[in-house]
Amino acid sequence: MLELKVKHISQPSMPETNLKIDANVQTYLLWRKKSQPEEQLVHVQIQDFTIHKTSNKEENSVIKHLIDTGNLGRPVLFHWISGKLLGLYGTREDNSRVLDLKRGLVSLFQFQNLSGIHTEEDVSGTCSVTYQIFEGSIKKTKDLSSCTTTRYGFQTDNSVFGVSLNSTSKSELSHIGGTIQTAVSEESHIVHLRLTSLLGSEVASRQHLELRSSNPGPTEIPEDSVQKILELLPEKYQKIEIACHPQRRNEGSHLLTNYLKTSPKKLTKLDISKVSTTRHFNAMVHMFRHAKKRDVLQLLQKASGELVPFYIDAAVGAQSSASLAALSEFLDFSKKKQVSLHEKFLYSAAFAPHPSKELLNLVLEKLKGKVSDPIIMETGIVIIGAIVGKMCKMKLCELKDVEIAKATLVEGLYETEEESEIKMYLVALKNAQLPETIPLLLQYAEENGGSVSRKALAALQSFPTEILSTKEVKSTLRKIFHQTYQEFDKARRLMAAEILLVTDHSQMDLINIILGLEDMNTEASKLLLSKIQSGQQIKNWLCKTENTLLRDKYLFNYSKLSQSGRSTFVSGPLTATKDVSSTYGIDLLFTESGFLRQSISDITLFGHNNHLKAMQVSIEAEGLASLFGDGTEDDDEDKDATVGMLAVLFDVQLRPVVFFQGYMDLVSKVFSSSGEPMSVVKGNVLLIDYLQRLPMQSGLQAIVEYRGGLGLEVSANIDVSIWEQESKTNINTKASLVFEFTTEVDTSFFQADIKARVDSETAVDFDSIMKFSAFPMLMCLELRQNNMPYRETYVVSESLPEKNITYTKRKGRKATLWGKDFPFHKSNSEMCRSLLTADEQ
């Protein structure tokens, strides 16, 4: 008897798939070795195969289907010795899915005579199995995580966006005098998305083998070996693998072919941030994975100009040989008119959830050839770092292709002398996060000046805390902060202190940083103090002994707590569910003149003891005092007025953007500006891409697939008015998310599908108003989230193809999460009220 259960784990109201199969199994010995009777060849044949299917329309009714055994009735032979399987033999006519059921049946007979951990091969693959031997019974527990079998599928190596799988397999065999009486095997797989457990399923199977009767069998064949027995049998048996192979429905290449006939003629424009577009993106990724190169290339060549970037995103997301080959032929990096498409391709590659060596080689190949625009070369260097970093997290760092890419970055940094190129290579190493490059980054942080040193420190900030908590790293950070051998500017000292605080620092480090506040200028020390206090209250970076230290009257007295200055750090909760939470953070650093030096806003996701920087936008300004002819002595007083932006999305830093550099550049851009926001990022990416199979003891296989698409549009608008002496900044982030999930179980006579989809869309705005005419400068900050429509859909589908019977059940719900404003602090609220009221008047 074989039982199967498939259900949604988060929706008890949805019906579950229940299937029961029973059959009679006839076994007898064909041969046993004379010198070693425990070595035998056993004949197994399934008879009277029946399906019992619970009707989902009437919960208590059972539909009985007698299936034509056909291939099921063909016998198989297994070779074993003292309970351990040595080989399996079948005929060529066996259907592969039917053969898997026979593999599962034969695997039930396998056992060991000694307690302990054994390695054995069965239908699931080669696995580690723990045996417990009792009088009259044998219990075994299979460690499914240890099983090695045919590689299939892919998965995202990300703790926040990953997939959790909990699998168990237990069997018990009872015997009398060595003759098997019963064998029972139970196996369960629970799989769900870490980001939301709403998308998950449980697949469970149970086998029960029971001895019904025993009669004298045919005469055993007296031969010396299994091979001679096989030669004597009238059927043509051949050895087959005991482990099953991946099986999935054949979807073919017709999907994209049909799409080419209809959709491209109707589509002319897509709104990237809408749910409908993201659904379409997920569907295109699916189509490209089953398409031929010529169809993908035809779509890229014939699509309208606004649709081509969308199809490039989908082709990179698919990462099939055909889609990458089509991209290679379509994209010509020597053509100036394709520059925007080249940048789109590179960024799509950077956000690929599980980049392959083929994708890496395609990027390297394009950058080695003629490149029409230097910006594309700079972007490519940054993107190589992102791809290398992801592949190393996937434990592919030792591949020759990855080694070449790593050498390209390190050697390029050594060979270049241009400051702009040095900074670009440092950004690439920040994305790569290679531990072996830490000594190099420390060298650039300590020995180089200004912006190069800051880029090296920023690269160090991206590493996990445990990697930074080494003696070498902390020693260099102390030298920079305390200016042991040379002087460093306030920005570098501040960054060094911030990194030191998040490492496994000593109590003396904290004491020295607090004492060192007196040596820093007012604004830098105010920001650092704000971060120390925020760490104590919110992020709990500091242990209890350090909290006691902060109450020391000498170290942390009223004088230090009440330091003047406007720089601050604010953090708070954004959203929270039982699976994941998110926070926002605002980091503001001012010059001594009261002008904004740096503004960093970020959204961070936390889940499963890890975190992910979903978005970080940093606006950096220098020399604003010279622009408005105001202020006091400061580090950047003599520099040209410059405003630029850095963006980090999903732990990948993008190429820096400069809004203006110098007074004349600002005036030129003010007069030539269209008033439209500058696009920072616009496109579709796969956040989640997971495809795995679950081979079960019963011989059944479940295919589990997750696909999470994101449509993202980030724009920035900086309006600087020289006449009004004010600036208004808006960073607008619009996004749509579509998470899709499928679990399917197929046999030649039964199919079951569990599907679910969750989608939503929203927009987040970060606004700032700065008034330079007052001294110190007046500023208002606002962070708000718009309404977020949200929808869930769940589907259960079953079919018996031979009987032409199909059943489908669908349920769903809709909701809207209302928008809200996020508070900073009371003084900001008062300032916003004052400035906004003045604007209205």
Side-chain angles (χ1 to χ4, degrees):
M1 182 173 65
L2 167 62
E3 293 176 287
L4 170 69
K5 178 177 74 174
V6 188
K7 68 174 184 178
H8 286 283
I9 60 173
S10 64
Q11 298 298 314
S13 62
M14 288 294 289
E16 62 182 44
T17 290
N18 287 292
L19 180 71
K20 179 181 176 182
I21 303 170
D22 61 38
N24 291 325
V25 179
Q26 185 187 67
T27 66
Y28 59 84
L29 288 184
L30 277 175
W31 166 86
R32 78 175 78 205
K33 194 172 186 179
K34 292 180 180 179
S35 60
Q36 194 175 10
E38 297 83 5
E39 183 178 352
Q40 303 165 348
L41 186 65
V42 183
H43 179 282
V44 180
Q45 187 172 18
I46 297 174
Q47 301 172 338
D48 305 326
F49 188 87
T50 308
I51 294 177
H52 301 267
K53 177 71 192 72
T54 302
S55 170
N56 284 299
K57 296 180 181 178
E58 301 176 35
E59 294 297 329
N60 295 323
S61 68
V62 175
I63 304 173
K64 182 177 179 180
H65 301 279
L66 183 64
I67 301 295
D68 179 17
T69 56
N71 285 329
L72 275 167
R74 296 185 185 278
V76 292
L77 313 177
F78 68 86
H79 178 203
W80 68 346
I81 179 169
S82 300
K84 184 170 184 177
L85 289 176
L86 299 178
L88 180 64
Y89 302 87
T91 57
R92 287 187 178 181
E93 292 81 5
D94 267 327
N95 175 282
S96 55
R97 287 195 172 97
V98 169
L99 188 57
D100 285 344
L101 292 178
K102 297 177 182 179
R103 288 180 169 118
L105 173 62
V106 170
S107 295
L108 267 180
F109 288 89
Q110 182 159 238
F111 64 91
Q112 305 283 346
N113 291 317
L114 298 173
S115 295
I117 300 176
H118 300 265
T119 300
E120 60 185 33
E121 184 181 15
D122 64 8
V123 63
S124 303
T126 303
C127 310
S128 176
V129 183
T130 302
Y131 276 87
Q132 293 176 290
I133 309 299
F134 304 94
E135 185 177 352
S137 69
I138 299 172
K139 293 183 178 181
K140 65 177 185 177
T141 303
K142 188 190 302 181
D143 180 5
L144 293 171
S145 64
S146 70
C147 296
T148 57
T149 184
T150 305
R151 188 175 178 181
Y152 177 79
F154 39 79
Q155 55 186 314
T156 307
D157 186 34
N158 187 295
S159 58
V160 178
F161 289 133
V163 174
S164 291
L165 175 63
N166 183 20
S167 302
T168 60
S169 177
K170 295 182 179 181
S171 303
E172 184 171 0
L173 184 146
S174 65
H175 61 91
I176 298 177
T179 301
I180 297 174
Q181 302 298 306
T182 62
V184 179
S185 175
E186 295 181 344
E187 187 167 321
S188 171
H189 300 269
I190 298 175
V191 58
H192 68 85
L193 192 63
R194 290 175 184 166
L195 193 65
T196 169
S197 55
L198 290 172
L199 299 182
S201 65
E202 179 182 1
V203 182
S205 71
R206 183 177 186 274
Q207 292 170 285
H208 183 94
L209 183 67
E210 181 180 338
L211 180 62
R212 287 293 180 89
S213 63
S214 179
N215 301 304
T219 304
E220 297 171 19
I221 303 173
E223 284 293 344
D224 296 331
S225 66
V226 170
Q227 191 58 42
K228 290 183 178 180
I229 297 294
L230 296 177
E231 292 172 359
L232 293 174
L233 296 175
E235 298 88 351
K236 298 297 182 182
Y237 285 97
Q238 59 184 6
K239 191 169 185 177
I240 55 179
E241 293 184 51
I242 299 174
C244 64
H245 289 273
Q247 299 285 338
R248 199 174 189 194
R249 299 168 200 165
N250 183 21
E251 301 186 49
S253 59
H254 66 279
L255 293 173
L256 187 57
T257 304
N258 294 339
Y259 179 83
L260 282 167
K261 294 176 182 177
T262 56
S263 298
K265 297 176 182 179
K266 301 176 183 178
L267 287 173
T268 57
K269 189 175 181 180
L270 292 170
D271 190 339
I272 295 299
S273 61
K274 293 296 182 182
V275 162
S276 57
T277 302
T278 308
R279 283 187 204 153
H280 189 46
F281 170 73
N282 284 357
M284 291 306 305
V285 171
H286 179 70
M287 280 189 264
F288 281 167
R289 282 186 174 152
H290 299 279
K292 295 178 180 179
K293 174 192 168 181
R294 68 168 184 266
D295 291 335
V296 179
L297 186 59
Q298 181 184 345
L299 185 62
L300 290 169
Q301 291 171 338
K302 293 188 175 181
S304 64
E306 292 193 27
L307 288 179
V308 174
F310 174 78
Y311 292 133
I312 289 176
D313 282 339
V316 173
Q319 281 196 87
S320 66
S321 299
S323 66
L324 294 180
L327 284 170
S328 179
E329 185 171 334
F330 176 73
L331 295 172
D332 185 349
F333 274 43
S334 65
K335 291 183 178 179
K336 193 83 173 178
K337 64 180 181 180
Q338 278 195 349
V339 165
S340 61
L341 299 181
H342 302 158
E343 187 175 45
K344 163 59 67 177
F345 162 70
L346 291 172
Y347 279 138
S348 297
F351 293 119
H354 51 84
S356 62
K357 67 177 184 180
E358 290 79 13
L359 177 61
L360 174 62
N361 286 331
L362 178 56
V363 173
L364 290 171
E365 174 194 331
K366 291 297 180 182
L367 295 177
K368 285 178 182 177
K370 184 180 178 182
V371 179
S372 62
D373 195 318
I375 290 178
I376 295 302
M377 180 61 74
E378 293 177 359
T379 304
I381 292 169
V382 172
I383 268 54
I384 289 172
I387 296 174
V388 166
K390 289 186 177 183
M391 294 187 73
C392 286
K393 289 177 182 176
M394 295 163 59
K395 300 181 180 177
L396 300 175
C397 223
E398 303 304 319
L399 288 178
K400 182 180 178 181
D401 310 87
V402 180
E403 292 287 353
I404 292 173
K406 289 194 291 185
T408 300
L409 299 180
V410 175
E411 291 172 7
L413 179 59
Y414 275 127
E415 292 172 1
T416 187
E417 295 180 358
E418 290 289 331
E419 183 176 305
S420 60
E421 292 183 5
I422 291 173
K423 290 192 287 186
M424 207 58 62
Y425 278 107
L426 289 173
V427 172
L429 291 180
K430 175 183 178 180
N431 282 337
Q433 292 186 26
L434 303 172
E436 62 266 32
T437 63
I438 286 181
L440 182 61
L441 295 174
L442 291 173
Q443 177 185 336
Y444 274 85
E446 187 178 4
E447 297 178 4
N448 288 268
S451 56
V452 170
S453 177
R454 292 196 293 272
K455 289 292 183 187
L457 286 168
L460 287 169
Q461 280 182 316
S462 66
F463 284 88
T465 301
E466 58 272 14
I467 295 179
L468 295 177
S469 297
T470 63
K471 183 178 179 181
E472 181 186 14
V473 173
K474 290 191 284 188
S475 174
T476 302
L477 295 174
R478 291 179 189 125
K479 283 189 284 186
I480 294 174
F481 179 74
H482 297 297
Q483 306 184 100
T484 308
Y485 300 112
Q486 65 184 89
E487 289 188 0
F488 294 91
D489 61 62
K490 66 179 182 183
R492 283 187 282 174
R493 294 185 65 201
L494 183 60
M495 292 177 75
E498 290 174 355
I499 300 172
L500 194 56
L501 281 173
V502 299
T503 63
D504 183 19
H505 58 273
S506 66
Q507 293 182 10
M508 189 54 65
D509 283 324
L510 183 63
I511 292 171
N512 289 334
I513 287 174
I514 295 170
L515 293 174
L517 293 176
E518 297 176 357
D519 299 330
M520 302 183 72
N521 63 41
T522 303
E523 293 298 338
S525 60
K526 181 67 175 179
L527 178 59
L528 189 54
L529 181 62
S530 176
K531 291 195 172 187
I532 292 174
Q533 290 172 311
S534 180
Q536 180 189 9
Q537 296 167 4
I538 301 172
K539 295 188 178 179
N540 199 26
W541 286 338
L542 311 175
C543 63
K544 292 181 180 179
T545 56
E546 291 172 334
N547 285 333
T548 304
L549 265 175
L550 294 180
R551 297 188 182 95
D552 184 281
K553 293 181 180 179
Y554 175 70
L555 293 173
F556 219 61
N557 54 38
Y558 178 78
S559 173
K560 289 188 174 62
L561 283 171
S562 61
Q563 284 191 40
S564 61
R566 310 185 66 203
S567 301
T568 187
F569 171 75
V570 181
S571 179
L574 195 61
T575 58
T577 68
K578 66 177 183 178
D579 302 302
V580 71
S581 62
S582 62
T583 64
Y584 68 89
I586 304 291
D587 189 334
L588 299 172
L589 175 64
F590 291 88
T591 67
E592 298 299 295
S593 309
F595 291 96
L596 184 67
R597 176 69 179 82
Q598 185 179 62
S599 165
I600 302 175
S601 56
D602 67 70
I603 296 175
T604 306
L605 301 177
F606 295 87
H608 304 274
N609 299 319
N610 215 313
H611 70 277
L612 175 71
K613 191 74 72 177
M615 183 183 75
Q616 183 184 77
V617 178
S618 172
I619 295 178
E620 298 184 354
E622 290 183 339
L624 291 184
S626 65
L627 181 66
F628 293 98
D630 201 353
T632 60
E633 184 179 351
D634 202 8
D635 287 348
D636 58 9
E637 182 188 20
D638 58 344
K639 295 183 178 178
D640 286 339
T642 304
V643 176
M645 183 175 66
L646 298 173
V648 176
L649 291 174
F650 304 107
D651 281 343
V652 175
Q653 181 171 320
L654 311 184
R655 183 178 55 80
V657 175
V658 176
F659 290 112
F660 66 84
Q661 187 167 9
Y663 178 79
M664 295 307 296
D665 188 29
L666 170 61
V667 172
S668 171
K669 288 181 177 175
V670 166
F671 284 109
S672 63
S673 172
S674 64
E676 293 295 319
M678 176 186 287
S679 178
V680 180
V681 173
K682 183 178 179 180
N684 293 91
V685 297
L686 282 179
L687 293 181
I688 301 161
D689 198 20
Y690 180 94
L691 177 64
Q692 294 293 312
R693 72 183 181 110
L694 306 176
M696 291 179 276
Q697 169 75 35
S698 59
L700 296 173
Q701 292 187 52
I703 302 293
V704 179
E705 184 172 17
Y706 283 92
R707 189 174 295 124
L710 169 70
L712 184 66
E713 190 171 355
V714 180
S715 61
N717 191 15
I718 297 183
D719 181 15
V720 180
S721 173
I722 301 174
W723 296 272
E724 297 291 337
Q725 290 208 344
E726 70 173 15
S727 75
K728 294 181 180 180
T729 303
N730 170 259
I731 299 172
N732 176 255
T733 303
K734 295 188 289 185
S736 60
L737 286 168
V738 177
F739 294 149
E740 297 173 322
F741 159 70
T742 302
T743 297
E744 61 183 50
V745 180
D746 276 7
T747 69
S748 58
F749 49 83
F750 175 76
Q751 296 177 346
D753 292 281
I754 296 286
K755 297 182 179 181
R757 182 172 67 204
V758 175
D759 56 53
S760 65
E761 61 183 57
T762 190
V764 177
D765 282 280
F766 175 60
D767 295 324
S768 68
I769 301 174
M770 288 175 275
K771 206 79 169 173
F772 304 116
S773 55
F775 185 81
M777 182 185 70
L778 305 180
M779 185 176 67
C780 162
L781 300 176
E782 291 183 306
L783 179 65
R784 63 183 180 276
Q785 180 183 347
N786 295 347
N787 294 346
M788 184 170 72
Y790 174 87
R791 179 165 55 186
E792 301 171 13
T793 306
Y794 302 93
V795 179
V796 173
S797 179
E798 305 167 352
S799 64
L800 294 167
E802 290 188 8
K803 299 292 183 179
N804 198 25
I805 297 173
T806 300
Y807 168 81
T808 302
K809 179 72 174 180
R810 183 187 301 268
K811 284 188 178 182
R813 65 172 183 172
K814 297 179 181 179
T816 299
L817 303 179
W818 300 112
K820 55 185 176 180
D821 292 338
F822 297 95
F824 294 136
H825 44 73
K826 185 178 179 181
S827 59
N828 180 71
S829 301
E830 293 172 353
M831 189 63 67
C832 288
R833 193 178 301 115
S834 173
L835 288 175
L836 293 173
T837 302
D839 281 350
E840 290 174 0
Q841 293 174 348

mmCIF file of all heavy atoms in Angstrom, residues 423 622 640-644 658-667 669:
data_model
loop_
_atom_site.group_PDB
_atom_site.id
_atom_site.type_symbol
_atom_site.label_atom_id
_atom_site.label_comp_id
_atom_site.label_asym_id
_atom_site.label_seq_id
_atom_site.Cartn_x
_atom_site.Cartn_y
_atom_site.Cartn_z
ATOM 1 N N LYS A 423 38.954 54.134 -7.308
ATOM 2 C CA LYS A 423 37.704 54.114 -6.528
ATOM 3 C C LYS A 423 36.707 53.118 -7.107
ATOM 4 O O LYS A 423 35.977 52.451 -6.377
ATOM 5 C CB LYS A 423 37.104 55.518 -6.478
ATOM 6 C CG LYS A 423 37.914 56.487 -5.623
ATOM 7 C CD LYS A 423 37.159 57.775 -5.337
ATOM 8 C CE LYS A 423 37.076 58.650 -6.554
ATOM 9 N NZ LYS A 423 36.468 59.972 -6.243
ATOM 10 N N GLU A 622 29.801 68.279 -1.107
ATOM 11 C CA GLU A 622 31.047 68.932 -0.709
ATOM 12 C C GLU A 622 31.023 70.375 -1.196
ATOM 13 O O GLU A 622 30.451 70.678 -2.247
ATOM 14 C CB GLU A 622 32.265 68.215 -1.308
ATOM 15 C CG GLU A 622 32.547 66.859 -0.719
ATOM 16 C CD GLU A 622 33.811 66.240 -1.316
ATOM 17 O OE1 GLU A 622 34.209 66.659 -2.417
ATOM 18 O OE2 GLU A 622 34.388 65.351 -0.675
ATOM 19 N N ASP A 640 35.197 72.586 -4.812
ATOM 20 C CA ASP A 640 34.068 72.949 -5.660
ATOM 21 C C ASP A 640 32.800 72.322 -5.118
ATOM 22 O O ASP A 640 32.816 71.206 -4.585
ATOM 23 C CB ASP A 640 34.304 72.453 -7.089
ATOM 24 C CG ASP A 640 35.329 73.299 -7.815
ATOM 25 O OD1 ASP A 640 35.544 74.452 -7.390
ATOM 26 O OD2 ASP A 640 35.931 72.786 -8.783
ATOM 27 N N ALA A 641 31.697 73.035 -5.272
ATOM 28 C CA ALA A 641 30.407 72.487 -4.823
ATOM 29 C C ALA A 641 30.069 71.262 -5.663
ATOM 30 O O ALA A 641 29.993 71.333 -6.886
ATOM 31 C CB ALA A 641 29.328 73.550 -4.953
ATOM 32 N N THR A 642 29.907 70.155 -4.996
ATOM 33 C CA THR A 642 29.623 68.880 -5.673
ATOM 34 C C THR A 642 28.543 68.125 -4.917
ATOM 35 O O THR A 642 28.577 68.044 -3.686
ATOM 36 C CB THR A 642 30.883 67.998 -5.749
ATOM 37 O OG1 THR A 642 31.923 68.718 -6.403
ATOM 38 C CG2 THR A 642 30.608 66.704 -6.490
ATOM 39 N N VAL A 643 27.583 67.586 -5.649
ATOM 40 C CA VAL A 643 26.548 66.727 -5.050
ATOM 41 C C VAL A 643 26.458 65.451 -5.878
ATOM 42 O O VAL A 643 26.310 65.509 -7.108
ATOM 43 C CB VAL A 643 25.173 67.421 -5.000
ATOM 44 C CG1 VAL A 643 24.110 66.463 -4.460
ATOM 45 C CG2 VAL A 643 25.232 68.666 -4.125
ATOM 46 N N GLY A 644 26.586 64.326 -5.218
ATOM 47 C CA GLY A 644 26.505 63.029 -5.889
ATOM 48 C C GLY A 644 25.677 62.048 -5.091
ATOM 49 O O GLY A 644 25.249 62.339 -3.961
ATOM 50 N N VAL A 658 26.847 61.502 -10.234
ATOM 51 C CA VAL A 658 27.149 62.883 -9.861
ATOM 52 C C VAL A 658 26.053 63.792 -10.429
ATOM 53 O O VAL A 658 25.821 63.807 -11.652
ATOM 54 C CB VAL A 658 28.533 63.324 -10.384
ATOM 55 C CG1 VAL A 658 28.777 64.802 -10.061
ATOM 56 C CG2 VAL A 658 29.624 62.458 -9.782
ATOM 57 N N PHE A 659 25.371 64.543 -9.560
ATOM 58 C CA PHE A 659 24.327 65.466 -10.016
ATOM 59 C C PHE A 659 24.947 66.725 -10.620
ATOM 60 O O PHE A 659 24.540 67.170 -11.688
ATOM 61 C CB PHE A 659 23.408 65.842 -8.851
ATOM 62 C CG PHE A 659 22.539 64.707 -8.391
ATOM 63 C CD1 PHE A 659 22.719 64.128 -7.147
ATOM 64 C CD2 PHE A 659 21.541 64.207 -9.205
ATOM 65 C CE1 PHE A 659 21.932 63.083 -6.722
ATOM 66 C CE2 PHE A 659 20.729 63.157 -8.801
ATOM 67 C CZ PHE A 659 20.928 62.591 -7.543
ATOM 68 N N PHE A 660 25.891 67.320 -9.924
ATOM 69 C CA PHE A 660 26.625 68.448 -10.488
ATOM 70 C C PHE A 660 27.966 68.573 -9.793
ATOM 71 O O PHE A 660 28.141 68.139 -8.655
ATOM 72 C CB PHE A 660 25.829 69.758 -10.385
ATOM 73 C CG PHE A 660 25.604 70.247 -8.974
ATOM 74 C CD1 PHE A 660 26.566 71.001 -8.307
ATOM 75 C CD2 PHE A 660 24.409 69.967 -8.319
ATOM 76 C CE1 PHE A 660 26.355 71.460 -7.011
ATOM 77 C CE2 PHE A 660 24.189 70.422 -7.027
ATOM 78 C CZ PHE A 660 25.158 71.169 -6.365
ATOM 79 N N GLN A 661 28.920 69.194 -10.499
ATOM 80 C CA GLN A 661 30.256 69.376 -9.950
ATOM 81 C C GLN A 661 30.733 70.784 -10.322
ATOM 82 O O GLN A 661 31.106 71.057 -11.452
ATOM 83 C CB GLN A 661 31.220 68.322 -10.489
ATOM 84 C CG GLN A 661 32.586 68.348 -9.817
ATOM 85 C CD GLN A 661 33.396 67.096 -10.152
ATOM 86 O OE1 GLN A 661 33.004 66.310 -10.994
ATOM 87 N NE2 GLN A 661 34.505 66.925 -9.474
ATOM 88 N N GLY A 662 30.679 71.668 -9.337
ATOM 89 C CA GLY A 662 31.086 73.041 -9.573
ATOM 90 C C GLY A 662 29.918 73.951 -9.891
ATOM 91 O O GLY A 662 28.842 73.520 -10.334
ATOM 92 N N TYR A 663 30.142 75.265 -9.686
ATOM 93 C CA TYR A 663 29.078 76.245 -9.854
ATOM 94 C C TYR A 663 28.580 76.295 -11.300
ATOM 95 O O TYR A 663 27.375 76.312 -11.561
ATOM 96 C CB TYR A 663 29.604 77.623 -9.416
ATOM 97 C CG TYR A 663 28.605 78.734 -9.601
ATOM 98 C CD1 TYR A 663 27.577 78.924 -8.679
ATOM 99 C CD2 TYR A 663 28.680 79.591 -10.712
ATOM 100 C CE1 TYR A 663 26.654 79.950 -8.855
ATOM 101 C CE2 TYR A 663 27.757 80.608 -10.894
ATOM 102 C CZ TYR A 663 26.743 80.785 -9.962
ATOM 103 O OH TYR A 663 25.828 81.782 -10.138
ATOM 104 N N MET A 664 29.483 76.305 -12.267
ATOM 105 C CA MET A 664 29.075 76.412 -13.662
ATOM 106 C C MET A 664 28.282 75.190 -14.112
ATOM 107 O O MET A 664 27.320 75.306 -14.881
ATOM 108 C CB MET A 664 30.307 76.599 -14.553
ATOM 109 C CG MET A 664 31.050 77.904 -14.320
ATOM 110 S SD MET A 664 29.954 79.345 -14.439
ATOM 111 C CE MET A 664 29.462 79.250 -16.159
ATOM 112 N N ASP A 665 28.684 74.024 -13.634
ATOM 113 C CA ASP A 665 27.949 72.797 -13.965
ATOM 114 C C ASP A 665 26.538 72.861 -13.401
ATOM 115 O O ASP A 665 25.569 72.453 -14.035
ATOM 116 C CB ASP A 665 28.701 71.579 -13.408
ATOM 117 C CG ASP A 665 28.096 70.267 -13.896
ATOM 118 O OD1 ASP A 665 27.527 70.236 -15.004
ATOM 119 O OD2 ASP A 665 28.188 69.263 -13.158
ATOM 120 N N LEU A 666 26.422 73.386 -12.169
ATOM 121 C CA LEU A 666 25.100 73.518 -11.547
ATOM 122 C C LEU A 666 24.214 74.456 -12.356
ATOM 123 O O LEU A 666 23.057 74.136 -12.661
ATOM 124 C CB LEU A 666 25.256 74.038 -10.112
ATOM 125 C CG LEU A 666 23.955 74.447 -9.404
ATOM 126 C CD1 LEU A 666 23.008 73.259 -9.286
ATOM 127 C CD2 LEU A 666 24.253 75.032 -8.027
ATOM 128 N N VAL A 667 24.757 75.643 -12.722
ATOM 129 C CA VAL A 667 23.973 76.615 -13.487
ATOM 130 C C VAL A 667 23.548 76.023 -14.825
ATOM 131 O O VAL A 667 22.402 76.169 -15.266
ATOM 132 C CB VAL A 667 24.791 77.912 -13.706
ATOM 133 C CG1 VAL A 667 24.052 78.856 -14.659
ATOM 134 C CG2 VAL A 667 25.054 78.595 -12.378
ATOM 135 N N LYS A 669 23.064 72.881 -15.596
ATOM 136 C CA LYS A 669 22.040 71.844 -15.436
ATOM 137 C C LYS A 669 20.710 72.423 -14.969
ATOM 138 O O LYS A 669 19.654 71.871 -15.251
ATOM 139 C CB LYS A 669 22.542 70.767 -14.469
ATOM 140 C CG LYS A 669 23.626 69.909 -15.109
ATOM 141 C CD LYS A 669 24.141 68.824 -14.199
ATOM 142 C CE LYS A 669 25.166 67.967 -14.946
ATOM 143 N NZ LYS A 669 25.798 66.947 -14.086
#
